[in-house]
Amino acid sequence: MGALNGNQIKNLVREGRLAIHPFDENLVQPASIDLRIGPKLLASPLGPEDLGREITLNEKTPSYAIQTGQMVTVMSREHITIPLDLCSNSFGIRSEFVRKGLQCFGGPHLDPGWRGHLIVSLQNVGPEPINIEYDQPFFTVTFDRLEESVEPGQGYEGNHQNQDDFPEDQKVYILSARTTSLAEIPTLRENLAQLTVLVEEVRDKLPDPDAGLEINDEILKRLHDSLETPDDLLYSPEQMRRQLNL
């Protein structure tokens, strides 16, 4: 088994043995090919008032900003059909996105005979929102040639064959989510800052609880004199009880 170089990928596409639609020769790299972001994505909730939703990227909304902590599922624009003598042992996202803190959760392998659009889930673990755009080179896929071709009828025929949309369970998982997610941390931080400001404003408007409790000179003198009173002139506890009729 060996990885295909860029020229081999181009030749297989031209021969019709490796199907990539639509195919852009400029996206072929020395030993891989870049695939582009498709028009649909699933975005997880950002807060109680901003729930999970399916988003369509188009001329009016060409991009989406993935917030810190947010999970987003994206699909490739290209549809791939892998022949029975090839597989893909590596696909992920381009390093420019990884360096910003975008983490990819995708399958590590595509079997011979697999057909469909690539789908991966992403999470922004970086400090700032990360922008993704429709038709932007995003995925990186390599292909490996098998030492022996898989027999006809023995290629991949699993649940994700011919996928041209997000799996229904993935849609339900994202769109019905109601719990607090990491994406809400920036919002909570902003809310806490606003609450701190409000508390300071209220505290400034409240009267000083110690106002009017200053001890004047007369009281200080009497307290000082009482400290110098001889012990034999002070009431004992028993005398105090009798004076108070206790």
Side-chain angles (χ1 to χ4, degrees), residues 21-197:
H21 300 290
F23 177 66
D24 184 346
E25 206 170 271
N26 295 321
L27 297 176
V28 178
Q29 305 301 324
S32 64
I33 182 171
D34 292 336
L35 304 182
R36 295 163 290 190
I37 292 179
K40 294 190 292 186
L41 61 87
L42 293 175
S44 70
L46 292 173
E49 305 301 324
D50 192 354
L51 302 178
R53 54 202 173 106
E54 185 170 351
I55 295 169
T56 299
L57 300 179
N58 48 39
E59 292 183 359
K60 182 178 287 188
T61 309
S63 65
Y64 183 79
I66 305 175
Q67 302 301 311
T68 296
Q70 187 181 21
M71 178 178 169
V72 171
T73 301
V74 298
M75 180 185 301
S76 69
R77 178 183 173 189
E78 289 82 0
H79 182 284
I80 300 177
T81 299
I82 301 179
L84 296 178
D85 60 343
L86 297 181
C87 70
S88 174
N89 280 320
S90 174
F91 75 86
I93 61 175
R94 289 166 56 96
S95 61
E96 64 181 279
F97 296 99
V98 176
R99 290 193 296 270
K100 293 177 181 178
L102 199 58
Q103 192 169 22
C104 172
F105 304 94
H109 180 85
L110 296 175
D111 276 318
W114 185 86
R115 302 183 299 275
H117 296 265
L118 289 183
I119 293 177
V120 298
S121 292
L122 312 165
Q123 186 176 33
N124 180 3
V125 297
E128 298 290 341
I130 299 174
N131 208 54
I132 58 174
E133 299 178 7
Y134 171 65
D135 211 34
Q136 181 181 31
F138 187 78
F139 306 84
T140 295
V141 183
T142 64
F143 297 100
D144 299 273
R145 192 184 301 278
L146 303 179
E147 294 180 0
E148 184 176 338
S149 178
V150 172
E151 293 292 329
Q154 296 183 356
Y156 179 83
E157 289 295 342
N159 294 334
H160 303 296
Q161 189 71 299
N162 292 317
Q163 63 182 8
D164 58 3
D165 198 358
F166 299 111
E168 190 60 30
D169 59 343
Q170 179 76 358
K171 285 186 179 182
V172 172
Y173 179 76
I174 295 294
L175 301 182
S176 64
R178 295 292 185 273
T179 55
T180 302
S181 69
L182 294 176
E184 295 184 52
I185 291 177
T187 303
L188 294 174
R189 187 169 57 233
E190 292 175 5
N191 291 342
L192 181 59
Q194 293 173 359
L195 181 60
T196 302
V197 171

Side-chain angles (χ1 to χ4, degrees), residues 214-226:
E214 293 83 1
I215 300 177
N216 59 40
D217 292 341
E218 176 64 23
I219 294 176
L220 285 175
K221 181 179 183 304
R222 293 175 63 181
L223 288 172
H224 183 269
D225 292 344
S226 67

Side-chain angles (χ1 to χ4, degrees), residues 188-214:
L188 294 174
R189 187 169 57 233
E190 292 175 5
N191 291 342
L192 181 59
Q194 293 173 359
L195 181 60
T196 302
V197 171
L198 289 174
V199 169
E200 291 296 328
E201 291 177 354
V202 170
R203 188 167 63 181
D204 290 342
K205 294 178 181 179
L206 291 175
D208 185 353
D210 296 328
L213 297 182
E214 293 83 1

